[in-house]
Amino acid sequence: MSIVPSMPPIVVGGWLLLIEESEGSQNSAYRFHRLLERKGRFARKAAGSEVKEQLISANVDTAFIVSSANHDFNLNRIERFLALVNEADADPVVVITKADLADNVEALVSQVQSIDPNLSVLAVNALDVASHEDFEPWLVEGETIVLLGSSGVGKSTLANTLLGEQLQSTGGIREDDSKGRHTTTSRALISLPQGALLLDTPGMPELQLSDVEDGIHEAFSDIEKLALRCKFNDCIHGEEPDCAVQKAIQDGELSARRLANYQKLLRENALNSASLAERRAADKSLGKYYQKTQAEAVKLKGR
Amino acid sequence: MIQPNILQNLGWQSFFQQQVSLDEWGDVTAARAVEQHRSELLVDTGE
């Protein structure tokens, strides 16, 4: 189907309604009717300094947050993805790949578990065919899954293991600095042998959050619950007296890293969302200016 | 005509079914966007 400008933006995973034309003939043609509302959407700030939202995919049920067990392992980044996944109304599952290359996998799993005890965490060696058994619970028929993670963590390797065949070319990474080569460039929904659908997205080198405030609140619900017990309603958990969040950090219930990341993500989201709103406002006033000028031009001509 | 049993393995859910009105029901076919290129969209109707 060709994309025509009159159609709304459609992303992979979206559902649309078509009307069958030329009934009776052998090659039935379809005409676009309308787009169905999405269950949830993954969006990020488009790469580069320009503030623009970019839709990545729609209607995802489960999102696997892939992180490798080498020096690329980063809790802040996992929390960043969690905010994105929560905003998209998908279920997050954290996957630690290259478990065979690290000797501290158990420690990494418990670190992730400390973010949220109810979070599902898998430690796998993506090259091992047996590892896809760990994924079975999420691969049931009709489930749409997506693999998220920075470049080089083994998303393509994992996708191939889940598919049971070589479909994606993998790049292999430079193990000295764990940088991957961006191997995934197209965007497609692929049926897995188990019946689930794998959404294959290009790597996300620059994942900037925008318009995901609810997702951040959900990902950091423990901090927000603590904040309710602060003495001051507008406590920013710094030097204020009787701050429940600072007390939790002193008692060792909460890590200072997590609070810092929470505040960083909120700031980033506020900045990007605000600049998106500013852009819309600027576009609107420019449009009005054009209209006014044109109307005046018509008036002048009419004289 | 929308056939939920065929669409199910493409990820069709009641959430989407609820959005289709009775008037549309007989005339439309549901399809999922499965591949995206610069100016072309590949859709799957499950048939």
Side-chain angles (χ1 to χ4, degrees):
Chain A
M1 188 162 95
S2 13
I3 298 170
V4 290
S6 63
M7 278 165 31
I10 302 172
V11 284
V12 167
W15 279 98
L16 29 117
L17 295 181
L18 307 172
I19 291 183
E20 201 169 340
E21 279 180 339
S22 64
E23 244 173 287
S25 70
Q26 278 182 334
N27 298 329
S28 52
Y30 292 101
R31 181 165 54 83
F32 175 77
H33 179 52
R34 70 183 176 94
L35 181 69
L36 292 182
E37 201 188 310
R38 291 182 286 263
K39 222 181 87 191
R41 99 266 188 267
F42 277 96
R44 62 159 170 170
K45 180 184 159 291
S49 52
E50 200 189 349
V51 181
K52 211 174 125 195
E53 199 183 49
Q54 183 182 10
L55 281 174
I56 304 166
S57 59
N59 303 325
V60 172
D61 299 307
T62 306
F64 292 98
I65 301 170
V66 187
S67 198
S68 73
N70 61 15
H71 19 74
D72 202 38
F73 183 83
N74 184 330
L75 277 183
N76 286 357
R77 192 176 304 123
I78 293 177
E79 284 173 339
R80 175 177 287 258
F81 278 115
L82 276 177
L84 187 80
V85 172
N86 285 331
E87 183 70 27
D89 281 330
D91 292 327
V93 177
V94 176
V95 182
I96 300 176
T97 56
K98 307 185 189 181
D100 53 321
L101 293 182
D103 37 16
N104 57 342
V105 178
E106 296 289 308
L108 296 182
V109 170
S110 62
Q111 270 187 49
V112 176
Q113 210 80 71
S114 73
I115 297 178
D116 178 357
N118 296 323
L119 197 64
S120 309
V121 188
L122 296 174
V124 296
N125 169 13
L127 280 173
D128 185 2
V129 181
S131 70
H132 75 62
E133 283 173 17
D134 299 335
F135 291 90
E136 298 282 290
W138 293 281
L139 299 184
V140 290
E141 187 175 332
E143 286 283 294
T144 306
I145 62 168
V146 68
L147 303 176
L148 299 174
S150 27
S151 174
V153 294
K155 291 191 300 292
S156 298
T157 313
L158 196 57
N160 285 335
T161 307
L162 295 178
L163 270 167
E165 59 183 306
Q166 195 71 18
L167 192 99
Q168 289 209 333
S169 61
T170 52
I173 62 165
R174 304 188 293 264
E175 282 298 340
D176 50 340
D177 61 356
S178 303
K179 290 280 182 289
R181 309 168 192 158
H182 297 285
T183 38
T184 323
T185 45
S186 61
R187 200 172 292 177
L189 196 65
I190 307 158
S191 303
L192 295 180
Q194 294 90 343
L197 300 140
L198 171 69
L199 189 89
D200 194 23
T201 52
M204 293 191 222
E206 281 181 71
L207 185 77
Q208 288 261 336
L209 300 182
S210 76
D211 269 335
V212 293
E213 205 176 329
D214 293 338
I216 296 176
H217 290 318
E218 207 176 316
F220 293 91
S221 55
D222 53 337
I223 296 182
E224 312 222 319
K225 234 179 261 165
L226 285 170
L228 291 177
R229 297 206 303 256
C230 285
K231 187 176 177 187
F232 298 106
N233 283 337
D234 56 349
C235 185
I236 54 164
H237 321 309
E239 306 273 284
E240 287 91 344
D242 284 337
C243 170
V245 177
Q246 284 297 340
K247 188 175 175 298
I249 291 176
Q250 275 160 25
D251 294 349
E253 289 165 28
L254 180 76
S255 68
R257 178 206 61 76
R258 186 161 160 81
L259 175 64
N261 193 35
Y262 166 67
Q263 291 174 330
K264 175 173 180 283
L265 293 182
L266 274 182
R267 271 198 306 274
E268 179 186 314
N269 182 57
L271 179 73
N272 285 337
S273 310
S275 28
L276 269 178
E278 271 166 27
R279 245 188 92 90
R280 285 190 202 114
D283 282 350
K284 211 170 149 188
S285 66
L286 188 64
K288 281 206 175 130
Y289 171 72
Y290 286 152
Q291 273 177 354
K292 210 177 95 193
T293 323
Q294 265 184 336
E296 269 167 20
V298 170
K299 243 192 257 164
L300 286 174
K301 253 189 198 164
R303 279 202 299 203
Chain B
M1 183 72 178
I2 290 178
Q3 292 162 295
N5 50 337
I6 294 180
L7 296 171
Q8 209 151 31
N9 49 23
L10 282 175
W12 183 253
Q13 291 167 2
S14 53
F15 175 82
F16 306 113
Q17 189 140 332
Q18 284 159 8
Q19 297 179 41
V20 184
S21 71
L22 277 174
D23 296 339
E24 288 173 320
W25 194 260
D27 303 327
V28 295
T29 307
R32 193 163 197 197
V34 292
E35 226 171 291
Q36 195 176 26
H37 299 284
R38 201 162 283 275
S39 64
E40 200 138 20
L41 192 73
L42 223 68
V43 298
D44 193 343
T45 56
E47 280 164 25

